[in-house]
Amino acid sequence: MRPTVHDIAAEAGVSLATVDRVLNNRPGVRTVTRHKVERAIATLGYVRDVAAANLAKGRSYPLVFILPAGENSFMRGLEAEVRAAMARSAAERTDITILSVPAFDAPALAAALMEARERRPAGVAVVAVEAPEVTEAVKRLREDRIAVVTLVSDLPGSGRDHFAGVDNIAAGRTAGSLMGRFIGGREGAVAVVAGSMLVRDHRDRLEGFRAVMTEDFAGRCILPVIEGQDNPTLVEKLVGALLERQPDLAGIYSLGAGNRGLVAALEKAGREKTICAIAHELTPHSRAALVSGTIDALLNQNAGHEVRSAIRVLKAKADGLPVISAQERIRIDIFLKDNLPLEQA
Amino acid sequence: MRPTVHDIAAEAGVSLATVDRVLNNRPGVRTVTRHKVERAIATLGYVRDVAAANLAKGRSYPLVFILPAGENSFMRGLEAEVRAAMARSAAERTDITILSVPAFDAPALAAALMEARERRPAGVAVVAVEAPEVTEAVKRLREDRIAVVTLVSDLPGSGRDHFAGVDNIAAGRTAGSLMGRFIGGREGAVAVVAGSMLVRDHRDRLEGFRAVMTEDFAGRCILPVIEGQDNPTLVEKLVGALLERQPDLAGIYSLGAGNRGLVAALEKAGREKTICAIAHELTPHSRAALVSGTIDALLNQNAGHEVRSAIRVLKAKADGLPVISAQERIRIDIFLKDNLPLEQA
DNA sequence: CTGTTAGCGCATTCAA
DNA sequence: TTGAATGCGCTAACAG
């Protein structure tokens, strides 16, 4: 049987309370006593039973998630994952509140952060928009010792505790690499459609994509970025116009959302087979387009992983515990029609 | 505060023991009493605290992992993940033993399964070789109510409880799809290097690969399969010979292990830039080859996920609990040099 | 500075 | 068929 606090108390010749004190390094133990206990811990090879500890503590973690509103399928999927986490909250001892704000709206986001602050949660997870007022709000939360994790889109320089999302520069590079190889020797320019240059993730993807195209596919012309605000209607209009003025277009990299518009424009123009399209995020629409062949490859960040990671990190930070960063790294998935996970998964 | 057994006992007007009986549907409760309790559970919205339950039970899960011996980096990585799980065994209430057997050796594997059986574990995870004696041994374990999970390579028809591994047909298809697109319009045949046709995963990958090449890249010639026994030295020899007799080779799909041999042969022949190489499993060697460009794409199954999934399933099956199969699905990762996770991760 | 004691939510004797 | 009592491994008052 593995050793318990009782065993180490006996071995060290002290009481349970003392053992508990050194285990949770609380004050009020003489150095000699502490050493005795530590030695007992070492010789017996004691490892604390976290489940039992949590049971005894009865601690719970009030958390706030701030997510963008709107039709964006990825964000709705993200919200669904947060709600799934709420359903598990009994078992995970969390108490989660969701706050919804308009997309790409820095003042509204800053206001939501202040609202979150008033709830005095243990931690806040936020899909960030890069703006001074948002940075400022995050700093205020940190001053109140509220843990902050940026989700999906980061906010460097804000002092947030952690970023739960993918390396978007690498994502852009990956898209560039696939695009260059898939197009191969064919002629024609490549277009880039983004949502907004106000969010860090989109800027990073663009940077990565351009870097690879310059390094490895130097002859290829990259057209100026189109900003579609992650809005399918707008994206469709802009891409439609693009297709008209670029009869020789070889590829489109859609690094934001609104892919329904992209797909519609390509199919209306009858160019879905000749243009290599690479987009982000696996949603019901993008999935269908991948299967049909309109989209050639999809880069994805697993929203479920991101939410669960954010919660783990928030809890750890709230307890002042270190985070095993290797374990919290979110991978960039590449999906072709052949390695698509089953529906619903 | 969420309701506890006490609350539902009070609500139903019975004792703790009775509540416990209906909760774990044990006999010895009148139907009326049972109904009262069930109603209380429903109205209070009770959910059992699994951690507390486990604490009270003090149950632990003796498990056996049977892994192939040898230099195969992927398998050694797998073993490292099992050892990592052993390190967590205190917290997870598992007690894991590793059994090592020669690779591709059905009699030895069958013997190991019988050895595992004598330990009377709650469950066994095994990297399967497809052979009647192995199937038979697995059936015996099942008869002794020992849960069995196949790991990495499956054993259909054996009655194993679960397969913790990727869909290898889909993996082969993915490789085919990438191969066809990366080669594009270039001339030349494509070769396939396998480990052994005795293991299901290799056979499945081959099937998927051939299917896609036939469906989508019909003009491309696929050479007969080379079996390298996952042995780098043998692979190097065989691929070396292949390169000599096929001066126009356009691509190589290595669906097994021994990639050190593949890389060495390509580089010695100076063909690493002109031949598109796609291989499996991210190891230090394959990673280096991907970065240098000798390997163009790597398909990967995350050994850590597989091991953790196997353990979860084994515990669930041992307790007679259902498995949420969607959650246990192992994804096929595609790595290019651009989306490689950081070292060590 | 150290020890005693009473739970956390649940499972399990042993009596009744 | 039911209930009272005890303990799992740990934390947290409260005493000393």
Side-chain angles (χ1 to χ4, degrees):
Chain A
M1 211 48 193
R2 66 191 262 228
T4 75
V5 275
H6 290 92
D7 299 319
I8 105 160
E11 172 82 12
V14 297
S15 76
L16 284 188
T18 302
V19 172
D20 184 69
R21 287 185 186 103
V22 353
L23 238 33
N24 298 288
N25 47 33
R26 271 188 280 263
V29 185
R30 269 188 311 170
T31 324
V32 255
T33 322
R34 180 171 299 268
H35 284 333
K36 273 198 302 190
V37 175
E38 279 163 353
R39 200 150 349 98
I41 292 178
T43 66
L44 295 189
Y46 170 83
V47 261
R48 153 217 259 105
D49 182 330
V50 201
N54 283 336
L55 175 60
K57 278 202 273 255
R59 186 180 190 342
S60 93
Y61 302 82
L63 304 178
V64 176
F65 274 74
I66 307 181
L67 308 175
E71 295 301 301
N72 183 329
S73 300
F74 172 74
M75 291 302 173
R76 297 292 60 80
L78 190 72
E79 181 172 336
E81 291 293 346
V82 177
R83 295 196 184 283
M86 291 170 79
R88 291 190 305 269
S89 74
E92 299 184 352
R93 310 194 109 72
T94 61
D95 175 15
I96 299 177
T97 306
I98 297 181
L99 258 35
S100 191
V101 296
F104 307 132
D105 184 338
L109 180 54
L113 282 162
M114 296 328 279
E115 184 187 337
R117 174 170 168 265
E118 277 165 26
R119 293 171 166 271
R120 310 224 138 280
V124 172
V126 55
V127 178
V129 172
E130 230 176 345
E133 56 227 291
V134 179
T135 306
E136 208 44 52
V138 168
K139 282 184 179 160
R140 293 267 271 287
L141 290 182
R142 296 295 299 115
E143 282 162 13
D144 291 2
R145 327 210 61 203
I146 297 172
V148 178
V149 165
T150 46
L151 192 61
V152 179
S153 193
D154 198 9
L155 193 56
S158 63
R160 87 285 186 280
D161 293 276
H162 180 81
F163 168 52
V166 300
D167 176 343
N168 284 297
I169 294 184
R173 294 188 63 94
T174 305
S177 206
L178 285 174
M179 181 68 81
R181 294 184 196 233
F182 281 5
I183 296 182
R186 274 179 286 148
E187 295 288 311
V190 169
V192 177
V193 183
S196 161
M197 289 296 107
L198 281 181
V199 285
R200 184 75 187 200
D201 51 346
H202 290 196
R203 289 219 312 279
D204 283 349
R205 288 172 190 173
L206 178 61
E207 178 186 335
F209 185 79
R210 281 189 171 146
V212 163
M213 293 310 276
T214 309
E215 291 164 20
D216 298 347
F217 307 97
R220 189 70 60 181
C221 165
I222 310 288
L223 301 174
V225 177
I226 295 171
E227 283 189 57
Q229 302 299 323
D230 286 0
N231 178 330
T233 315
L234 182 55
V235 169
E236 179 171 356
K237 203 180 113 215
L238 295 173
V239 173
L242 168 77
L243 293 177
E244 284 197 19
R245 67 174 184 274
Q246 293 283 341
D248 73 328
L249 198 70
I252 297 187
Y253 173 37
S254 167
L255 59 74
N259 286 321
R260 261 167 296 180
L262 171 72
V263 170
L266 281 169
E267 293 179 352
K268 267 187 195 148
R271 306 269 288 280
E272 70 273 18
K273 297 297 169 206
T274 53
I275 291 178
C276 173
I278 295 181
H280 278 262
E281 315 316 352
L282 186 63
T283 66
H285 297 97
S286 67
R287 177 188 188 99
L290 187 61
V291 169
S292 77
T294 300
I295 288 179
D296 293 86
L298 227 35
L299 304 193
N300 185 67
Q301 52 186 321
N302 190 302
H305 289 175
E306 290 177 330
V307 169
R308 290 186 288 272
S309 173
I311 292 174
R312 273 196 304 274
V313 171
L314 249 15
K315 288 167 79 169
K317 293 291 182 184
D319 286 342
L321 299 176
V323 172
I324 304 147
S325 65
Q327 206 183 69
E328 303 302 341
R329 198 160 288 132
I330 310 292
R331 297 257 266 268
I332 300 159
D333 301 325
I334 303 176
F335 290 122
L336 305 182
K337 69 175 189 313
D338 306 286
N339 70 327
L340 227 29
L342 295 190
E343 300 277 0
Q344 179 272 326
Chain B
M1 212 49 193
R2 69 192 261 227
T4 75
V5 276
H6 291 92
D7 300 319
I8 105 160
E11 172 82 12
V14 296
S15 77
L16 284 188
T18 301
V19 172
D20 184 69
R21 287 185 187 103
V22 354
L23 237 34
N24 298 289
N25 47 34
R26 270 187 281 264
V29 186
R30 271 187 311 171
T31 325
V32 256
T33 323
R34 180 172 299 268
H35 283 333
K36 274 198 303 191
V37 175
E38 278 162 353
R39 198 149 353 96
I41 291 179
T43 65
L44 295 190
Y46 170 83
V47 261
R48 159 219 252 100
D49 182 329
V50 200
N54 283 336
L55 174 59
K57 276 203 276 259
R59 186 178 191 341
S60 92
Y61 302 81
L63 304 178
V64 176
F65 274 73
I66 307 181
L67 308 177
E71 295 301 301
N72 183 329
S73 299
F74 172 74
M75 292 301 172
R76 296 290 63 79
L78 191 71
E79 180 173 338
E81 291 294 344
V82 177
R83 295 195 184 283
M86 291 170 79
R88 291 190 305 268
S89 76
E92 300 183 352
R93 311 193 105 75
T94 63
D95 176 14
I96 299 176
T97 306
I98 296 181
L99 257 35
S100 192
V101 296
F104 307 133
D105 184 338
L109 181 52
L113 282 162
M114 296 327 281
E115 183 187 338
R117 174 168 168 264
E118 277 163 27
R119 295 172 165 269
R120 310 223 139 280
V124 172
V126 55
V127 178
V129 172
E130 229 176 345
E133 55 226 290
V134 179
T135 306
E136 209 43 53
V138 168
K139 282 184 180 160
R140 292 269 271 288
L141 290 182
R142 295 295 300 117
E143 282 162 14
D144 291 0
R145 327 209 62 203
I146 296 172
V148 177
V149 165
T150 47
L151 192 61
V152 178
S153 193
D154 198 8
L155 193 55
S158 63
R160 87 285 185 280
D161 292 276
H162 180 82
F163 168 51
V166 301
D167 176 342
N168 284 297
I169 295 184
R173 294 187 63 92
T174 305
S177 206
L178 286 174
M179 180 68 79
R181 293 181 196 235
F182 281 5
I183 296 182
R186 272 179 286 148
E187 295 287 313
V190 169
V192 178
V193 182
S196 161
M197 289 295 107
L198 281 182
V199 285
R200 184 74 185 200
D201 52 344
H202 289 196
R203 290 219 310 281
D204 284 349
R205 287 172 190 172
L206 178 61
E207 177 186 335
F209 185 79
R210 281 190 171 145
V212 163
M213 295 308 279
T214 309
E215 292 164 19
D216 298 347
F217 307 97
R220 189 70 60 181
C221 165
I222 311 288
L223 301 174
V225 177
I226 295 170
E227 283 189 58
Q229 302 299 324
D230 285 2
N231 177 330
T233 315
L234 182 54
V235 169
E236 178 171 357
K237 205 180 111 214
L238 294 172
V239 173
L242 168 77
L243 292 178
E244 284 196 18
R245 65 174 185 275
Q246 294 283 342
D248 73 327
L249 198 71
I252 297 187
Y253 173 36
S254 167
L255 59 75
N259 287 320
R260 261 167 294 177
L262 171 72
V263 169
L266 282 169
E267 293 179 351
K268 267 185 197 150
R271 307 270 286 280
E272 70 273 17
K273 296 298 168 206
T274 54
I275 292 179
C276 172
I278 297 182
H280 277 263
E281 315 315 354
L282 186 63
T283 66
H285 298 98
S286 67
R287 177 189 187 99
L290 187 62
V291 170
S292 77
T294 300
I295 290 179
D296 294 85
L298 226 34
L299 304 192
N300 185 67
Q301 50 187 324
N302 191 301
H305 289 176
E306 291 178 328
V307 169
R308 290 187 288 272
S309 174
I311 292 174
R312 272 196 304 272
V313 171
L314 250 13
K315 288 168 79 169
K317 293 292 181 182
D319 286 342
L321 299 175
V323 171
I324 304 147
S325 64
Q327 206 184 68
E328 302 303 341
R329 200 159 286 133
I330 310 293
R331 297 257 266 267
I332 300 159
D333 301 325
I334 303 176
F335 290 121
L336 306 182
K337 69 176 190 309
D338 307 286
N339 71 326
L340 228 29
L342 296 191
E343 299 278 359
Q344 179 271 327

